Amino acid sequence: MKRDWIIMCILVFGIVGCKDFLNLVPKNKRVVANLEDVKTELLTYLAAITYSTGGLSPSYGGSVFRFPLYNDVATQLCLYEDDMNMSYYSDHSSIEEKAMNMYTECIDWKGVSLASVLWEKCYGAIGFLNVILDDLEKAGGYTQAEYETITGEVKTIRAYYIFKLLQFFAPYNSDKLGIPLNLDSENVIPGGRLSQREVYRIVIRELEDVLEYETIREKWNIFYYPGIVKAILAQVYMFKAGSAAAEESDWANAEKYSGELIASYEPENREDILFNMFSGTVREYQVGGANYQLRMTYRISCGFGDIFSGIWAEGKAQRVSNELLDMYDEEDIRREAWFKTEEEEGRTIHYINKPGYTRSINEVTVLFRTAEMYLINAEAKCRQNRVAEAKDMLETFKRARIIGFENYSGEDVLGEILNERRKEFCYEAGTRWVDMKRLGIGTSRVGMSKEGEGTEVYKLKSDDYRYALPIPNGVELDYNNKIEQNPGWGNLN
Protein backbone atom coordinates (compact mmCIF):
# COMPACT_ATOMS: atom_id res chain seq x y z
CA MET A 1 0.00 0.00 0.00
CA LYS A 2 2.74 2.51 0.87
CA ARG A 3 4.49 1.84 -2.45
CA ASP A 4 1.26 2.34 -4.39
CA TRP A 5 0.54 5.64 -2.64
CA ILE A 6 3.93 7.04 -3.52
CA ILE A 7 3.43 6.05 -7.15
CA MET A 8 0.07 7.77 -7.13
CA CYS A 9 1.73 10.97 -6.01
CA ILE A 10 3.30 11.20 -9.47
CA LEU A 11 -0.12 11.90 -10.91
CA VAL A 12 -0.67 15.65 -11.01
CA PHE A 13 -4.23 16.86 -11.23
CA GLY A 14 -5.31 20.26 -12.48
CA ILE A 15 -2.09 22.29 -12.52
CA VAL A 16 -3.47 25.74 -13.28
CA GLY A 17 -2.51 29.30 -12.50
CA CYS A 18 -5.90 30.25 -11.09
CA LYS A 19 -5.85 32.19 -7.83
CA ASP A 20 -9.59 31.84 -7.12
CA PHE A 21 -9.61 29.15 -4.48
CA LEU A 22 -13.36 29.35 -3.92
CA ASN A 23 -14.54 28.56 -7.43
CA LEU A 24 -12.28 25.92 -8.92
CA VAL A 25 -13.17 24.56 -12.32
CA PRO A 26 -11.98 20.99 -12.89
CA LYS A 27 -9.22 21.16 -15.48
CA ASN A 28 -7.77 17.71 -15.03
CA LYS A 29 -5.59 16.59 -17.88
CA ARG A 30 -6.48 13.06 -16.86
CA VAL A 31 -10.09 12.12 -17.69
CA VAL A 32 -11.94 10.56 -14.78
CA ALA A 33 -13.89 7.74 -16.38
CA ASN A 34 -14.70 5.22 -13.67
CA LEU A 35 -14.68 4.41 -9.97
CA GLU A 36 -11.02 3.39 -9.95
CA ASP A 37 -10.07 6.82 -11.29
CA VAL A 38 -11.99 8.47 -8.45
CA LYS A 39 -10.18 6.28 -5.92
CA THR A 40 -6.88 7.29 -7.48
CA GLU A 41 -7.82 10.96 -7.14
CA LEU A 42 -8.59 10.53 -3.45
CA LEU A 43 -5.54 8.40 -2.70
CA THR A 44 -3.36 10.97 -4.47
CA TYR A 45 -4.59 13.59 -2.05
CA LEU A 46 -4.21 11.35 1.00
CA ALA A 47 -0.71 10.32 -0.06
CA ALA A 48 0.26 13.96 -0.50
CA ILE A 49 -0.70 14.86 3.07
CA THR A 50 0.72 11.77 4.80
CA TYR A 51 4.03 11.05 3.07
CA SER A 52 7.04 13.00 1.90
CA THR A 53 7.17 12.31 -1.82
CA GLY A 54 10.74 13.16 -2.73
CA GLY A 55 9.89 16.51 -4.27
CA LEU A 56 6.81 15.39 -6.22
CA SER A 57 4.04 17.87 -5.44
CA PRO A 58 0.54 17.09 -6.72
CA SER A 59 -1.51 20.26 -6.93
CA TYR A 60 -4.92 21.58 -7.81
CA GLY A 61 -5.91 25.13 -8.64
CA GLY A 62 -2.30 26.18 -8.22
CA SER A 63 -2.24 24.94 -4.62
CA VAL A 64 0.16 22.16 -3.69
CA PHE A 65 -1.48 19.49 -1.55
CA ARG A 66 -0.43 19.92 2.07
CA PHE A 67 -2.24 19.46 5.31
CA PRO A 68 -2.78 23.09 6.36
CA LEU A 69 -1.46 22.69 9.94
CA TYR A 70 1.86 20.96 9.37
CA ASN A 71 5.16 22.14 10.83
CA ASP A 72 5.59 25.50 9.14
CA VAL A 73 2.06 26.75 9.74
CA ALA A 74 1.86 25.19 13.22
CA THR A 75 5.06 26.96 14.28
CA GLN A 76 3.83 30.27 12.90
CA LEU A 77 0.71 29.85 15.02
CA CYS A 78 2.99 29.29 18.02
CA LEU A 79 4.42 32.76 17.31
CA TYR A 80 0.88 34.12 17.69
CA GLU A 81 0.23 32.48 21.04
CA ASP A 82 1.28 33.56 24.53
CA ASP A 83 3.24 30.40 25.37
CA MET A 84 6.67 31.31 23.90
CA ASN A 85 9.28 33.67 25.27
CA MET A 86 9.70 35.86 22.20
CA SER A 87 12.79 37.64 23.50
CA TYR A 88 15.11 34.73 22.65
CA TYR A 89 13.77 33.66 19.25
CA SER A 90 17.06 34.14 17.36
CA ASP A 91 19.36 32.71 20.04
CA HIS A 92 20.41 29.56 18.26
CA SER A 93 22.81 28.92 15.43
CA SER A 94 20.43 27.37 12.91
CA ILE A 95 18.03 30.31 12.69
CA GLU A 96 18.20 32.09 9.33
CA GLU A 97 16.87 35.15 7.52
CA LYS A 98 13.59 33.62 6.43
CA ALA A 99 12.82 32.63 10.02
CA MET A 100 13.61 36.13 11.22
CA ASN A 101 11.31 37.59 8.58
CA MET A 102 8.55 35.35 9.89
CA TYR A 103 9.24 36.52 13.44
CA THR A 104 9.08 40.16 12.38
CA GLU A 105 5.78 39.56 10.62
CA CYS A 106 4.17 37.64 13.48
CA ILE A 107 5.47 39.48 16.54
CA ASP A 108 2.62 42.02 16.37
CA TRP A 109 0.06 39.46 15.14
CA LYS A 110 0.06 40.74 11.55
CA GLY A 111 1.20 37.62 9.72
CA VAL A 112 -0.19 38.23 6.25
CA SER A 113 1.77 35.31 4.80
CA LEU A 114 0.35 33.01 7.49
CA ALA A 115 -3.15 34.07 6.46
CA SER A 116 -2.33 33.51 2.79
CA VAL A 117 -1.04 29.98 3.36
CA LEU A 118 -4.01 28.95 5.50
CA TRP A 119 -6.47 30.44 3.00
CA GLU A 120 -4.79 28.81 0.02
CA LYS A 121 -4.27 25.36 1.53
CA CYS A 122 -7.75 25.06 3.00
CA TYR A 123 -9.65 26.39 0.00
CA GLY A 124 -7.40 24.58 -2.49
CA ALA A 125 -8.11 21.29 -0.74
CA ILE A 126 -11.83 22.02 -0.47
CA GLY A 127 -11.93 22.66 -4.23
CA PHE A 128 -10.20 19.38 -4.98
CA LEU A 129 -12.44 17.46 -2.59
CA ASN A 130 -15.48 19.00 -4.30
CA VAL A 131 -14.20 17.55 -7.57
CA ILE A 132 -13.83 14.08 -6.10
CA LEU A 133 -17.47 14.05 -4.97
CA ASP A 134 -18.65 15.31 -8.36
CA ASP A 135 -16.50 12.75 -10.18
CA LEU A 136 -17.88 9.97 -7.99
CA GLU A 137 -21.45 10.87 -8.91
CA LYS A 138 -20.57 11.02 -12.61
CA ALA A 139 -18.63 7.77 -12.59
CA GLY A 140 -21.36 5.73 -10.87
CA GLY A 141 -21.07 1.99 -10.58
CA TYR A 142 -20.18 2.02 -6.89
CA THR A 143 -21.48 -0.10 -4.05
CA GLN A 144 -22.86 1.43 -0.88
CA ALA A 145 -19.64 0.51 0.93
CA GLU A 146 -17.50 2.18 -1.74
CA TYR A 147 -19.70 5.26 -1.67
CA GLU A 148 -19.45 5.59 2.10
CA THR A 149 -15.69 5.04 2.39
CA ILE A 150 -14.96 7.60 -0.33
CA THR A 151 -17.65 10.15 0.56
CA GLY A 152 -17.05 9.75 4.29
CA GLU A 153 -13.35 10.54 3.86
CA VAL A 154 -13.98 13.55 1.65
CA LYS A 155 -16.80 15.08 3.67
CA THR A 156 -14.97 14.72 6.98
CA ILE A 157 -11.75 16.34 5.72
CA ARG A 158 -13.71 19.06 3.95
CA ALA A 159 -15.80 19.84 7.04
CA TYR A 160 -12.63 20.05 9.14
CA TYR A 161 -11.03 22.53 6.72
CA ILE A 162 -14.19 24.64 6.61
CA PHE A 163 -14.18 24.73 10.41
CA LYS A 164 -10.53 25.80 10.46
CA LEU A 165 -11.34 28.65 8.06
CA LEU A 166 -14.10 29.79 10.42
CA GLN A 167 -11.78 29.66 13.41
CA PHE A 168 -9.00 31.64 11.75
CA PHE A 169 -10.85 34.10 9.49
CA ALA A 170 -14.30 34.81 10.97
CA PRO A 171 -14.58 37.59 13.59
CA TYR A 172 -15.84 35.77 16.68
CA ASN A 173 -18.56 38.25 17.58
CA SER A 174 -19.98 38.98 14.12
CA ASP A 175 -22.30 36.31 12.76
CA LYS A 176 -22.73 37.96 9.38
CA LEU A 177 -18.99 37.82 8.73
CA GLY A 178 -18.57 34.12 8.24
CA ILE A 179 -16.57 32.82 5.30
CA PRO A 180 -17.29 32.43 1.58
CA LEU A 181 -18.01 28.84 0.69
CA ASN A 182 -18.73 26.92 -2.49
CA LEU A 183 -19.22 23.16 -2.56
CA ASP A 184 -19.93 22.95 -6.31
CA SER A 185 -16.78 22.29 -8.32
CA GLU A 186 -18.34 23.56 -11.57
CA ASN A 187 -19.78 26.82 -10.26
CA VAL A 188 -17.51 29.68 -11.29
CA ILE A 189 -19.67 32.56 -10.07
CA PRO A 190 -17.97 34.37 -7.17
CA GLY A 191 -20.03 34.59 -4.00
CA GLY A 192 -20.01 36.60 -0.80
CA ARG A 193 -19.50 35.55 2.77
CA LEU A 194 -22.06 33.26 4.34
CA SER A 195 -23.07 33.92 7.91
CA GLN A 196 -21.34 31.87 10.57
CA ARG A 197 -24.64 30.16 11.41
CA GLU A 198 -25.01 29.09 7.79
CA VAL A 199 -21.49 27.69 7.66
CA TYR A 200 -21.84 25.85 10.97
CA ARG A 201 -25.06 24.26 9.72
CA ILE A 202 -23.21 22.94 6.68
CA VAL A 203 -20.31 21.59 8.75
CA ILE A 204 -22.53 19.92 11.33
CA ARG A 205 -24.91 18.46 8.74
CA GLU A 206 -22.03 16.94 6.74
CA LEU A 207 -20.42 15.40 9.81
CA GLU A 208 -23.67 14.04 11.20
CA ASP A 209 -24.46 12.55 7.78
CA VAL A 210 -21.12 10.71 7.86
CA LEU A 211 -21.88 9.36 11.34
CA GLU A 212 -24.94 7.67 9.84
CA TYR A 213 -22.77 5.62 7.48
CA GLU A 214 -22.54 1.95 8.42
CA THR A 215 -19.47 0.87 6.44
CA ILE A 216 -16.30 0.14 8.44
CA ARG A 217 -13.31 2.25 7.37
CA GLU A 218 -10.82 0.79 4.91
CA LYS A 219 -7.10 0.67 5.73
CA TRP A 220 -6.50 3.68 3.49
CA ASN A 221 -9.13 5.83 5.20
CA ILE A 222 -7.70 8.51 7.47
CA PHE A 223 -10.43 10.95 8.42
CA TYR A 224 -13.36 8.61 7.81
CA TYR A 225 -13.56 7.17 11.29
CA PRO A 226 -16.36 7.67 13.88
CA GLY A 227 -13.93 8.82 16.56
CA ILE A 228 -12.54 11.57 14.34
CA VAL A 229 -16.00 12.74 13.27
CA LYS A 230 -17.18 12.91 16.88
CA ALA A 231 -14.01 14.71 17.96
CA ILE A 232 -14.47 17.37 15.28
CA LEU A 233 -18.09 17.82 16.31
CA ALA A 234 -17.04 18.24 19.95
CA GLN A 235 -14.52 20.93 18.90
CA VAL A 236 -17.09 22.62 16.66
CA TYR A 237 -19.74 22.87 19.37
CA MET A 238 -17.23 24.07 21.98
CA PHE A 239 -15.93 26.86 19.73
CA LYS A 240 -19.39 27.76 18.45
CA ALA A 241 -20.84 27.99 21.98
CA GLY A 242 -19.20 31.34 22.74
CA SER A 243 -19.47 32.85 19.26
CA ALA A 244 -22.04 35.05 17.56
CA ALA A 245 -23.53 31.86 16.10
CA ALA A 246 -24.09 30.28 19.52
CA GLU A 247 -27.20 28.23 20.26
CA GLU A 248 -28.53 27.02 23.59
CA SER A 249 -27.76 23.37 22.83
CA ASP A 250 -24.09 23.86 21.94
CA TRP A 251 -22.56 22.87 25.26
CA ALA A 252 -24.89 19.88 25.57
CA ASN A 253 -23.75 18.71 22.14
CA ALA A 254 -20.08 19.30 23.01
CA GLU A 255 -20.61 17.15 26.09
CA LYS A 256 -22.42 14.46 24.09
CA TYR A 257 -19.80 13.95 21.39
CA SER A 258 -16.79 14.28 23.68
CA GLY A 259 -18.43 11.93 26.18
CA GLU A 260 -18.68 9.18 23.59
CA LEU A 261 -14.89 9.24 23.22
CA ILE A 262 -13.87 9.19 26.89
CA ALA A 263 -16.03 6.38 28.25
CA SER A 264 -13.01 4.16 28.92
CA TYR A 265 -10.31 6.85 29.00
CA GLU A 266 -7.87 7.05 31.87
CA PRO A 267 -5.74 10.20 31.65
CA GLU A 268 -2.10 9.44 30.86
CA ASN A 269 0.00 9.33 34.04
CA ARG A 270 3.50 8.67 32.69
CA GLU A 271 6.01 11.12 31.29
CA ASP A 272 7.17 8.72 28.56
CA ILE A 273 3.64 8.32 27.18
CA LEU A 274 3.27 12.09 26.82
CA PHE A 275 6.72 12.49 25.27
CA ASN A 276 6.33 9.61 22.81
CA MET A 277 2.99 10.96 21.67
CA PHE A 278 4.88 13.87 20.09
CA SER A 279 7.98 12.05 18.94
CA GLY A 280 8.78 9.16 16.64
CA THR A 281 11.27 7.35 14.46
CA VAL A 282 8.90 5.73 11.94
CA ARG A 283 7.00 7.37 9.08
CA GLU A 284 3.36 6.46 9.60
CA TYR A 285 -0.17 7.55 10.32
CA GLN A 286 -2.29 6.04 13.07
CA VAL A 287 -6.06 6.26 13.45
CA GLY A 288 -8.09 5.55 16.56
CA GLY A 289 -5.41 5.23 19.21
CA ALA A 290 -6.21 5.28 22.91
CA ASN A 291 -4.64 8.73 23.38
CA TYR A 292 -5.62 10.38 20.09
CA GLN A 293 -7.82 9.84 17.07
CA LEU A 294 -5.15 10.71 14.48
CA ARG A 295 -1.35 10.92 14.49
CA MET A 296 0.88 11.54 11.47
CA THR A 297 4.68 11.38 11.46
CA TYR A 298 7.18 11.70 8.64
CA ARG A 299 10.35 13.41 7.47
CA ILE A 300 10.22 16.61 5.48
CA SER A 301 12.34 19.74 5.27
CA CYS A 302 10.90 22.79 7.00
CA GLY A 303 10.43 26.08 5.22
CA PHE A 304 12.12 28.32 7.79
CA GLY A 305 14.55 27.93 10.64
CA ASP A 306 16.57 24.73 10.77
CA ILE A 307 15.95 22.73 7.57
CA PHE A 308 14.73 19.73 9.57
CA SER A 309 13.25 21.11 12.77
CA GLY A 310 12.11 24.62 11.89
CA ILE A 311 12.58 27.12 14.71
CA TRP A 312 12.79 24.39 17.37
CA ALA A 313 16.33 23.08 16.72
CA GLU A 314 15.52 19.71 18.27
CA GLY A 315 14.35 21.15 21.56
CA LYS A 316 17.28 23.45 22.29
CA ALA A 317 16.17 26.75 20.80
CA GLN A 318 12.85 28.30 21.76
CA ARG A 319 12.02 29.05 25.37
CA VAL A 320 8.72 28.63 27.18
CA SER A 321 7.08 31.83 28.40
CA ASN A 322 7.53 32.45 32.12
CA GLU A 323 3.78 32.79 32.55
CA LEU A 324 3.12 29.30 31.16
CA LEU A 325 6.05 27.66 32.93
CA ASP A 326 4.94 29.04 36.28
CA MET A 327 1.55 27.37 35.84
CA TYR A 328 3.06 23.89 36.09
CA ASP A 329 3.48 22.31 39.50
CA GLU A 330 7.04 21.14 40.18
CA GLU A 331 5.77 17.54 40.20
CA ASP A 332 3.88 17.89 36.91
CA ILE A 333 5.04 15.15 34.51
CA ARG A 334 4.53 17.51 31.55
CA ARG A 335 7.53 19.58 32.60
CA GLU A 336 9.89 16.70 31.81
CA ALA A 337 7.88 15.38 28.86
CA TRP A 338 7.66 18.61 26.86
CA PHE A 339 10.58 20.79 27.98
CA LYS A 340 14.35 20.39 28.07
CA THR A 341 16.50 22.09 30.68
CA GLU A 342 20.05 23.40 30.31
CA GLU A 343 22.29 25.00 32.91
CA GLU A 344 23.70 28.22 31.48
CA GLU A 345 25.78 30.61 33.59
CA GLY A 346 24.21 29.37 36.80
CA ARG A 347 20.65 29.58 35.50
CA THR A 348 18.27 26.82 34.42
CA ILE A 349 16.90 27.48 30.93
CA HIS A 350 13.68 25.74 29.90
CA TYR A 351 13.52 24.96 26.19
CA ILE A 352 10.41 23.81 24.33
CA ASN A 353 10.64 20.16 23.26
CA LYS A 354 7.14 19.57 21.95
CA PRO A 355 7.00 18.13 19.35
CA GLY A 356 10.16 16.16 20.07
CA TYR A 357 11.78 16.29 16.65
CA THR A 358 14.51 13.87 15.58
CA ARG A 359 16.59 13.69 12.41
CA SER A 360 14.63 10.66 11.25
CA ILE A 361 11.15 12.07 11.92
CA ASN A 362 10.55 15.80 12.15
CA GLU A 363 6.87 16.18 11.22
CA VAL A 364 4.69 15.12 14.14
CA THR A 365 1.02 16.06 13.99
CA VAL A 366 -1.31 14.74 16.69
CA LEU A 367 -4.98 15.60 16.28
CA PHE A 368 -8.15 15.01 18.29
CA ARG A 369 -6.47 13.96 21.51
CA THR A 370 -8.55 12.05 24.02
CA ALA A 371 -7.26 14.42 26.70
CA GLU A 372 -8.90 17.29 24.82
CA MET A 373 -12.19 15.41 24.64
CA TYR A 374 -11.92 14.88 28.41
CA LEU A 375 -11.38 18.57 29.13
CA ILE A 376 -14.06 19.62 26.63
CA ASN A 377 -16.44 17.35 28.51
CA ALA A 378 -15.45 18.82 31.87
CA GLU A 379 -15.80 22.37 30.57
CA ALA A 380 -19.19 21.55 29.04
CA LYS A 381 -20.45 20.22 32.37
CA CYS A 382 -19.20 23.35 34.11
CA ARG A 383 -20.84 25.64 31.54
CA GLN A 384 -24.11 23.81 32.21
CA ASN A 385 -23.83 24.46 35.95
CA ARG A 386 -22.85 20.90 36.89
CA VAL A 387 -19.78 22.10 38.68
CA ALA A 388 -19.45 19.15 41.07
CA GLU A 389 -19.21 16.69 38.17
CA ALA A 390 -16.69 18.93 36.42
CA LYS A 391 -14.63 19.21 39.60
CA ASP A 392 -14.44 15.41 39.91
CA MET A 393 -13.17 15.19 36.33
CA LEU A 394 -10.68 18.00 36.91
CA GLU A 395 -9.25 16.27 39.97
CA THR A 396 -8.93 12.95 38.13
CA PHE A 397 -7.03 14.69 35.36
CA LYS A 398 -4.71 16.59 37.69
CA ARG A 399 -3.94 13.43 39.68
CA ALA A 400 -2.71 11.82 36.46
CA ARG A 401 -0.54 14.78 35.52
CA ILE A 402 0.82 15.83 38.92
CA ILE A 403 2.59 13.30 41.15
CA GLY A 404 1.12 13.37 44.64
CA PHE A 405 -1.85 15.61 43.78
CA GLU A 406 -4.90 14.98 45.92
CA ASN A 407 -7.75 17.47 45.64
CA TYR A 408 -8.47 20.86 44.09
CA SER A 409 -9.13 23.30 46.92
CA GLY A 410 -9.90 26.37 44.83
CA GLU A 411 -13.31 27.75 43.95
CA ASP A 412 -12.85 28.57 40.25
CA VAL A 413 -13.35 25.14 38.69
CA LEU A 414 -13.94 26.49 35.20
CA GLY A 415 -10.84 28.66 35.38
CA GLU A 416 -8.76 25.68 36.49
CA ILE A 417 -10.09 23.54 33.64
CA LEU A 418 -9.07 26.28 31.21
CA ASN A 419 -5.63 26.41 32.86
CA GLU A 420 -5.28 22.68 32.26
CA ARG A 421 -6.19 23.20 28.60
CA ARG A 422 -3.40 25.74 28.27
CA LYS A 423 -0.81 23.52 29.96
CA GLU A 424 -1.90 20.42 28.08
CA PHE A 425 -2.23 21.71 24.50
CA CYS A 426 0.57 24.25 24.23
CA TYR A 427 2.33 24.29 20.82
CA GLU A 428 -0.31 22.07 19.19
CA ALA A 429 -1.40 23.41 15.79
CA GLY A 430 -2.96 26.66 16.96
CA THR A 431 -5.04 25.21 19.80
CA ARG A 432 -3.99 27.94 22.22
CA TRP A 433 -4.58 30.69 19.64
CA VAL A 434 -8.20 29.68 19.01
CA ASP A 435 -8.70 29.34 22.78
CA MET A 436 -7.38 32.87 23.23
CA LYS A 437 -9.86 33.98 20.60
CA ARG A 438 -12.92 32.22 22.02
CA LEU A 439 -12.10 33.21 25.62
CA GLY A 440 -11.36 36.85 24.77
CA ILE A 441 -7.85 36.90 26.18
CA GLY A 442 -5.79 40.05 26.03
CA THR A 443 -2.04 39.75 26.27
CA SER A 444 1.23 41.62 25.97
CA ARG A 445 4.77 40.47 25.32
CA VAL A 446 8.28 41.76 24.89
CA GLY A 447 10.00 41.05 21.60
CA MET A 448 12.58 42.38 19.20
CA SER A 449 11.67 45.69 17.66
CA LYS A 450 10.27 45.65 14.13
CA GLU A 451 11.99 48.95 13.44
CA GLY A 452 15.56 48.04 14.38
CA GLU A 453 17.62 47.14 17.43
CA GLY A 454 16.28 46.84 20.94
CA THR A 455 13.00 45.50 22.25
CA GLU A 456 9.40 46.57 22.20
CA VAL A 457 6.20 45.74 24.11
CA TYR A 458 3.46 44.38 21.85
CA LYS A 459 -0.17 44.27 23.00
CA LEU A 460 -3.24 42.34 21.86
CA LYS A 461 -6.64 43.38 23.20
CA SER A 462 -9.27 40.87 24.30
CA ASP A 463 -11.54 41.79 21.37
CA ASP A 464 -8.72 42.64 18.97
CA TYR A 465 -9.42 42.68 15.23
CA ARG A 466 -6.26 40.60 14.70
CA TYR A 467 -8.02 37.55 16.12
CA ALA A 468 -9.60 37.28 12.67
CA LEU A 469 -6.82 36.87 10.12
CA PRO A 470 -6.93 39.11 7.04
CA ILE A 471 -8.42 37.80 3.82
CA PRO A 472 -5.44 37.85 1.42
CA ASN A 473 -5.73 40.63 -1.13
CA GLY A 474 -3.78 39.08 -3.97
CA VAL A 475 -5.41 35.68 -3.56
CA GLU A 476 -9.09 36.44 -3.22
CA LEU A 477 -10.10 40.08 -2.71
CA ASP A 478 -8.61 41.21 -6.01
CA TYR A 479 -10.69 38.59 -7.80
CA ASN A 480 -13.95 38.59 -5.87
CA ASN A 481 -15.45 42.00 -5.15
CA LYS A 482 -18.35 40.39 -3.26
CA ILE A 483 -16.10 39.64 -0.31
CA GLU A 484 -15.34 42.36 2.21
CA GLN A 485 -12.11 42.48 4.17
CA ASN A 486 -12.21 41.69 7.87
CA PRO A 487 -12.63 44.81 10.05
CA GLY A 488 -9.45 46.60 11.02
CA TRP A 489 -7.20 45.32 8.26
CA GLY A 490 -7.78 47.98 5.60
CA ASN A 491 -5.96 47.55 2.30
CA LEU A 492 -3.12 45.08 2.72
CA ASN A 493 -1.44 46.30 -0.45
Side-chain angles (χ1 to χ4, degrees):
M1 177 59 72
K2 290 183 180 178
R3 179 179 60 82
D4 291 341
W5 278 25
I6 293 173
I7 291 173
M8 288 173 186
C9 280
I10 298 173
L11 301 173
V12 181
F13 292 88
I15 302 177
V16 294
C18 174
K19 287 299 182 184
D20 173 24
F21 294 103
L22 302 177
N23 301 288
L24 293 172
V25 182
K27 296 182 180 180
N28 297 351
K29 295 182 179 180
R30 183 177 187 275
V31 177
V32 177
N34 54 47
L35 180 63
E36 289 306 312
D37 291 338
V38 177
K39 289 181 178 178
T40 300
E41 282 186 300
L42 177 56
L43 293 181
T44 298
Y45 177 75
L46 296 180
I49 68 170
T50 54
Y51 290 99
S52 174
T53 58
L56 296 171
S57 301
S59 67
Y60 183 81
S63 179
V64 175
F65 293 165
R66 288 294 311 276
F67 186 75
L69 300 178
Y70 275 154
N71 193 330
D72 285 357
V73 171
T75 51
Q76 288 177 65
L77 288 167
C78 287
L79 301 186
Y80 265 51
E81 296 165 351
D82 55 0
D83 289 339
M84 283 178 61
N85 189 329
M86 302 294 282
S87 298
Y88 298 92
Y89 179 84
S90 62
D91 285 6
H92 66 97
S93 59
S94 59
I95 210 76
E96 36 91 283
E97 184 178 359
K98 189 174 181 181
M100 292 310 302
N101 290 341
M102 193 60 64
Y103 176 95
T104 301
E105 189 176 336
C106 291
I107 186 62
D108 59 353
W109 301 280
K110 294 182 179 180
V112 175
S113 62
L114 169 63
S116 296
V117 170
L118 281 167
W119 186 274
E120 174 194 337
K121 298 306 179 189
C122 287
Y123 276 119
I126 289 168
F128 184 73
L129 296 169
N130 291 344
V131 169
I132 292 176
L133 291 182
D134 288 349
D135 286 346
L136 179 63
E137 293 296 330
K138 292 173 184 175
Y142 45 77
T143 65
Q144 184 66 18
E146 288 170 328
Y147 176 84
E148 290 184 352
T149 52
I150 293 172
T151 304
E153 186 75 40
V154 170
K155 285 190 172 183
T156 305
I157 298 176
R158 189 172 68 176
Y160 180 71
Y161 289 172
I162 294 169
F163 176 47
K164 289 291 130 183
L165 287 166
L166 267 180
Q167 286 186 313
F168 292 126
F169 289 96
Y172 201 53
N173 296 317
S174 177
D175 177 56
K176 71 174 184 177
L177 292 179
I179 58 170
L181 186 62
N182 171 32
L183 302 183
D184 181 355
S185 70
E186 298 189 2
N187 174 16
V188 296
I189 301 175
R193 298 170 76 147
L194 301 181
S195 72
Q196 294 187 43
R197 285 189 175 91
E198 290 173 312
V199 178
Y200 276 118
R201 279 197 291 268
I202 292 170
V203 169
I204 292 167
R205 183 187 67 235
E206 295 259 288
L207 292 171
E208 290 182 340
D209 284 349
V210 172
L211 278 182
E212 295 293 320
Y213 294 172
E214 297 180 355
T215 304
I216 302 297
R217 67 178 287 267
E218 294 281 358
K219 290 182 179 179
W220 52 265
N221 281 123
I222 300 176
F223 276 72
Y224 174 54
Y225 180 69
I228 289 178
V229 178
K230 292 174 183 178
I232 298 173
L233 281 165
Q235 291 177 342
V236 165
Y237 279 115
M238 177 187 70
F239 191 76
K240 177 173 174 282
S243 74
E247 296 175 282
E248 186 175 349
S249 60
D250 286 340
W251 281 115
N253 281 316
E255 181 186 9
K256 170 190 171 183
Y257 286 113
S258 63
E260 292 177 15
L261 296 175
I262 63 171
S264 60
Y265 174 64
E266 295 183 7
E268 304 85 354
N269 62 2
R270 296 203 331 254
E271 170 196 327
D272 62 316
I273 295 176
L274 295 180
F275 173 78
N276 290 332
M277 198 184 310
F278 293 93
S279 183
T281 57
V282 179
R283 186 175 70 178
E284 62 185 351
Y285 73 91
Q286 298 170 314
V287 177
N291 302 322
Y292 45 77
Q293 298 302 317
L294 178 59
R295 181 176 185 263
M296 296 180 282
T297 62
Y298 69 89
R299 177 181 175 86
I300 190 169
S301 296
C302 305
F304 63 95
D306 181 273
I307 189 171
F308 294 112
S309 55
I311 65 173
W312 307 108
E314 298 188 71
K316 293 185 178 180
Q318 300 306 326
R319 304 188 190 186
V320 59
S321 72
N322 293 332
E323 180 185 19
L324 175 61
L325 185 63
D326 289 344
M327 293 175 70
Y328 293 97
D329 189 276
E330 287 294 331
E331 299 301 319
D332 196 314
I333 62 175
R334 291 170 291 196
R335 290 176 68 101
E336 295 296 323
W338 296 335
F339 303 101
K340 284 185 177 179
T341 58
E342 295 283 340
E343 296 297 325
E344 299 180 12
E345 299 179 353
R347 295 186 303 142
T348 301
I349 307 299
H350 295 270
Y351 291 108
I352 299 164
N353 192 40
K354 178 190 181 189
Y357 294 122
T358 66
R359 291 285 157 169
S360 58
I361 293 296
N362 41 50
E363 190 73 80
V364 184
T365 301
V366 184
L367 297 174
F368 318 122
R369 289 178 55 199
T370 316
E372 184 183 15
M373 297 302 110
Y374 188 90
L375 291 179
I376 287 175
N377 198 269
E379 181 178 349
K381 286 180 168 63
C382 213
R383 301 278 188 184
Q384 296 173 91
N385 297 316
R386 287 155 46 209
V387 178
E389 294 176 67
K391 182 173 182 286
D392 287 343
M393 293 184 69
L394 170 66
E395 290 178 336
T396 298
F397 191 81
K398 290 177 78 71
R399 288 188 195 107
R401 294 296 189 267
I402 304 171
I403 298 171
F405 181 85
E406 294 183 0
N407 298 301
Y408 175 64
S409 59
E411 297 182 357
D412 186 4
V413 174
L414 176 59
E416 192 66 13
I417 291 170
L418 297 176
N419 286 342
E420 288 301 320
R421 276 190 63 86
R422 182 177 180 184
K423 290 185 287 184
E424 185 71 19
F425 307 117
C426 55
Y427 321 115
E428 292 186 38
T431 300
R432 175 59 181 170
W433 173 248
V434 295
D435 267 1
M436 290 169 65
K437 178 175 181 174
R438 76 179 178 96
L439 299 172
I441 291 175
T443 189
S444 65
R445 61 190 184 187
V446 176
M448 290 175 278
S449 174
K450 292 171 68 78
E451 307 302 327
E453 296 182 357
T455 61
E456 190 171 337
V457 177
Y458 298 93
K459 296 182 180 180
L460 186 75
K461 296 183 295 184
S462 61
D463 59 348
D464 205 286
Y465 74 91
R466 289 167 289 183
Y467 272 122
L469 301 183
I471 296 175
N473 278 16
V475 176
E476 193 58 44
L477 287 179
D478 293 349
Y479 173 84
N480 186 355
N481 59 16
K482 293 185 179 180
I483 302 177
E484 57 184 294
Q485 181 59 275
N486 278 330
W489 287 102
N491 189 332
L492 299 180
N493 291 331

